[in-house]
Amino acid sequence: MAGKLTALKIKALTSPGRYGDGGGLWLQVRDADHRSWLFRYTLHGRAREMGLGPFPDVSLADARQQAQTQRALLRAGVDPLARRQEEKAAAAAEAKKKTLTFKEVAQRYHAAHQAGWRNEKHRHQWATQMEAYVYPVFGKMPVDRVGTAEVMKALEPIWHEKSQTAVVQRGRIEAVLDYAKAREWRLGENPARWRGHLAKLLPPRSRITKTEHHAALPWAEVGDFMEQVRASPDLAARALEFLILTAVRTNEAMGAEWTEINTTKALWVIPAERMKGKKEHRVPLSAPALALLDRIRSEQGEVGRYVFPSPRGKKPLSTRACAVLLGRMKRTDFTVHGFRSTFRDWVAERTSFPREIGEMALAHTVGSAVERAYQRSELLVKRAQLMEAWGRFCGQPSGKGEVVPIRGQG
């Protein structure tokens, strides 16, 4: 029967022992100054007990209320001690959330997103540059306390001298803080946002640095250069030749897989995940490009996954392979990426193809959003004619080919 204890009885209880109130509630007495409440119960044949707090901090009425709550849990099939442990763990986790540092959140963001980044170099740079430029400033600060002053302190020292790095770091800080807000680890506006905020405090990069374009081989010299490349037995030379004939980026060419290439349709389909713009790109293959692929097949014998495999065959050839080849050829006056500019200049100066055809061949966005909504076609027929003309031009030493007209192009 509950209600055996009263305030007067409790006051008189000073001898060590346990004194029951009923319903599983007990007063545990060590001496006159040390008394506390216990709730004792049996679950699944096992006797258990849990503390409800010291007396008189927890009054008799409070203790009875707590005991009633625990009995209700037992009737619902819930172990009161297990429930208390779960609540403590949840409270600890919530407290941990509130004290996460910027570095801890950045590391979680990095782990969550790095699988979607295209290359190992980017994943490595993300972490090392954070260590160099951001963490020393506010890496140990709770993420919800990072403000404009901290962001500026990290960016200002490098904004003028290392502008590209600074711009990249600003974007990374913004991404981490957005991630923290989405996870409810911080509130309010993002202090690393550019528009309407840091743009008022820092000069735009365009005002403090000049745009540096990739050095390119003049289009008139492509034929002679291609003759030298074809003479090399290296697989890197075949990759460079393919890159030039298709006007794609280095990582797109090096990652080419045989399953992406349909020689019957003379078409190479690069999946969205390997494209800079994350949009599938279809590349018409010219006769010289198809002949090159036939040569590569015959030289490799049994082909594997990649068109340009590394020596061990499990990965594609390094994206640095073509640059290394240019170094061995003592051609440091232009870059591999510059061949896209060479192609663009040739289209503009040597052909009558519309500008948008050349831009689409380079997988560039063409026109406004409205224009793109109406222009759904990839113009593959015209692009195939353009790539065929480019392939023929690349096979002409000294670049003496005629201007390419657009008559008869459908």
Side-chain angles (χ1 to χ4, degrees), residues 10 26 44 46 66 75 112 143 180 248 314 332 342 352 363 388:
I10 294 173
W26 293 78
H44 304 308
R46 180 183 176 189
Q66 288 194 54
R75 287 194 297 271
V143 71
V248 298
K314 294 183 179 180
T332 57
T342 301
S352 299
E388 194 66 44

Side-chain angles (χ1 to χ4, degrees), residues 43-44 68-80 83:
L43 186 65
H44 304 308
Q68 182 179 348
T69 300
Q70 310 315 320
R71 289 193 295 270
L73 288 175
L74 285 169
R75 287 194 297 271
V78 177
D79 185 345
R83 170 62 64 85

Side-chain angles (χ1 to χ4, degrees), residues 26-175:
W26 293 78
L27 179 68
Q28 180 172 265
V29 179
R30 285 174 52 194
D31 54 46
D33 297 322
H34 298 87
R35 291 173 286 187
S36 60
W37 296 104
L38 289 175
F39 177 70
R40 303 180 69 185
Y41 63 97
T42 301
L43 186 65
H44 304 308
R46 180 183 176 189
R48 308 199 71 181
E49 58 183 42
M50 63 186 295
L52 301 181
F55 177 85
D57 294 351
V58 178
S59 67
L60 174 59
D62 289 341
R64 285 173 175 170
Q65 182 61 50
Q66 288 194 54
Q68 182 179 348
T69 300
Q70 310 315 320
R71 289 193 295 270
L73 288 175
L74 285 169
R75 287 194 297 271
V78 177
D79 185 345
L81 272 175
R83 170 62 64 85
R84 174 182 283 182
Q85 291 168 355
E86 290 172 0
E87 290 174 347
K88 284 184 177 180
E94 188 63 28
K96 177 66 175 175
K97 287 181 183 179
K98 293 179 180 178
T99 58
L100 281 172
T101 66
F102 177 86
K103 182 176 181 178
E104 289 171 329
V105 175
Q107 289 172 334
R108 293 187 185 198
Y109 174 88
H110 183 258
H113 291 82
Q114 63 175 326
W117 296 338
R118 289 189 297 277
N119 56 62
E120 183 63 33
K121 180 181 178 182
H122 179 68
R123 289 192 287 269
H124 178 69
Q125 275 188 343
W126 201 99
T128 56
Q129 290 184 350
M130 278 286 193
E131 289 282 359
Y133 302 112
V134 180
Y135 296 158
V137 181
F138 54 85
K140 295 181 180 179
M141 179 177 288
V143 71
D144 61 343
R145 288 176 52 195
V146 175
T148 302
E150 288 73 34
V151 175
M152 288 291 290
K153 188 176 180 181
L155 296 179
E156 279 189 302
I158 59 174
W159 194 258
H160 291 270
E161 295 183 6
K162 299 179 179 179
S163 61
Q164 181 176 356
T165 300
V167 168
V168 170
Q169 292 309 110
R170 186 210 62 77
R172 289 170 178 166
I173 295 170
E174 182 180 25

